[in-house]
């Protein structure tokens, strides 16, 4: 892991949502250098499902050598932000780094997202980031370090990231647009950057979202803390960047990313807003031969299941295939379905015109997907998002992950017909 250099000794770092998870991990990393940490978060009493308060975080920060100032801050409340900034300046003499980490999430589609949830995400993610930045900027301008870091994704306008959770995407992209605008506005004075993980990070919030067993497919919060630390060491001229954790740490010379895995060697869940699955996972799976080779002459004919929803789905899929779809996809998918109407099915989007049906494909599969027949039908009809099925363990994927993403895009196009 990235060693501490002592470069942040005496610096004041203002972090929203620092009572737990990623915010606290960034705080502890800076605290080991002897930094002053302003813990700007709401939690004063332990939540039944989300451990940690601003006071327990303060104790941990001081235990590793930092100085802590716990402040009760709901980033929706401008006065609370302002009061915390005033307290920080009074106690530590200024602010050198701001980390906008506080965030609200609801992965629900338009009709299923209550207005209250929409307001929460917009007010915490976008408005909260904007107002906290605005309150800290006069002090950041006076600092030699002067960094704003937003925990937000690259601005990826692929519609797949809007389709299933439009409100959440808008709210997170609002944070990223703050980076875009403020980096230009304060060029030469303050470095403004975004940081986003390449894979899912294991936090209490992720446990709530993904359910039990999700942690083995995640990385630890340490990877984000190390990546953030790497950004803080850079000059003010390093600004307007949408940094991916793994990429910046590779530049730092980190080669072994297993140190960050909750369960080293286990396939990792790719994070939202990135069109590519992590290369190491794809390469690892291919090198281990996870995709079964299908050789001519060895195939045993299988009895065809009775007509049911899976066969009906494949009929519709087959009818919607075209040379354009094949040209755009160039992959063969194998489905191992359990339950009634199950068995082995394939979708060939490599051969001219494409093909789909029961049994094995005529060539080697690039991606093997295992799931129940019910979930398969739900996925192709748009009622179950493949990413969420994968995250919750209902869908298992072997093979080329980038091609698995392509199928998700194709499902989105086909769901209207199913």
């Amino acid at each position: 892991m990235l060693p501490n250099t002592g470069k942040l000794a005496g610096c004041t770092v203002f972090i929203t949502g620092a009572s737990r998870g990623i915010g606290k991990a960034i705080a502890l990393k800076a605290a080991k250098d002897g930094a002053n940490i302003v813990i700007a978060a709401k939690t004063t009493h332990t939540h039944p499902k989300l451990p940690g308060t601003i006071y327990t975080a303060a104790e941990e920060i001081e235990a590793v050598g930092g100085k802590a100032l716990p402040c009760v801050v709901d980033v929706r409340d401008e006065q609370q932000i302002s009061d915390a900034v005033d307290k920080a300046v009074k106690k530590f003499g200024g602010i050198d780094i701001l980390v906008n980490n506080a965030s609200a999430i609801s992965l629900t589609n338009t009709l299923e997202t209550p207005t209250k949830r929409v307001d929460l995400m917009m007010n915490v993610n976008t408005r909260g980031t904007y107002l906290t930045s605005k309150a800290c900027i006069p002090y950041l301008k006076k600092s030699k370090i002067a960094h704003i870091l937003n925990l937000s994704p690259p601005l990826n306008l692929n519609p797949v990231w809007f389709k299933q959770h439009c409100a959440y995407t808008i709210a997170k992209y609002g944070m990223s647009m703050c980076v875009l605008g403020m980096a230009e506005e304060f060029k030469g004075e303050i470095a403004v950057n975004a940081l986003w993980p390449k894979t899912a990070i294991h936090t209490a919030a992720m446990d709530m979202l993904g359910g039990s067993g999700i942690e083995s497919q995640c990385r630890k919060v340490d990877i984000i803390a190390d990546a953030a630390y790497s950004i803080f060491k850079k000059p003010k001229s390093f600004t307007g960047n949408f940094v991916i954790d793994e990429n910046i740490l590779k530049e730092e010379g980190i080669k072994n990313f297993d140190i960050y895995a909750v369960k080293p060697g286990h396939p990792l869940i790719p994070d939202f807003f990135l069109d590519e699955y992590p290369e190491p996972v794809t390469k690892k799976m291919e090198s281990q031969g996870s995709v079964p080779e299908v050789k001519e002459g060895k195939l045993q004919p299988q009895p065809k299941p009775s007509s049911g929803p899976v066969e009906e789905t494949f009929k519709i899929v087959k009818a919607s295939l075209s040379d354009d779809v094949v040209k755009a996809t160039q992959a063969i998918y194998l489905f191992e379905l359990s339950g009634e109407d199950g068995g082995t099915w394939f979708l060939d989007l490599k051969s001219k015109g494409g093909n789909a049906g029961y049994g094995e494909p005529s060539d080697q599969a690039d991606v093997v997907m295992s799931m129940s027949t019910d979930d398969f039908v739900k996925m192709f009809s748009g009622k179950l998002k493949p990413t969420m099925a994968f995250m919750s363990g209902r869908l298992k994927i072997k093979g080329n992950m980038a091609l698995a993403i392509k199928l998700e895009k194709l499902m989105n196009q086909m769901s209207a017909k199913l």
Side-chain angles (χ1 to χ4, degrees), residues 114-134:
T115 304
K116 197 175 165 186
R117 272 267 154 203
V118 177
D119 291 344
L120 175 71
M121 289 190 282
M122 301 299 173
N123 289 335
V124 171
N125 302 2
T126 303
R127 185 175 176 272
T129 293
Y130 185 90
L131 292 181
T132 309
S133 302
K134 187 181 174 187

Side-chain angles (χ1 to χ4, degrees), residues 175-195:
M175 295 174 74
S176 300
M177 290 168 93
C178 286
V179 170
L180 207 60
M182 292 176 190
E184 283 298 309
E185 189 176 353
F186 302 106
K187 196 172 258 186
E189 295 180 287
I190 303 166
V192 187
N193 296 288
L195 174 61

Side-chain angles (χ1 to χ4, degrees), residues 306-357:
S306 57
S307 183
V310 173
E311 187 172 22
E312 287 307 309
T313 300
F314 268 99
K315 277 182 186 170
I316 297 164
V317 168
K318 198 171 180 178
S320 65
L321 296 181
S322 66
D323 283 332
D324 286 346
V325 169
V326 170
K327 196 175 173 185
T329 314
Q330 286 297 294
I332 295 174
Y333 302 91
L334 191 70
F335 302 92
E336 292 172 343
L337 306 181
S338 58
E340 201 177 338
D341 198 16
T344 302
W345 298 76
F346 73 94
L347 176 57
D348 180 351
L349 297 177
K350 254 187 191 169
S351 310
K352 188 171 169 59
N355 195 11

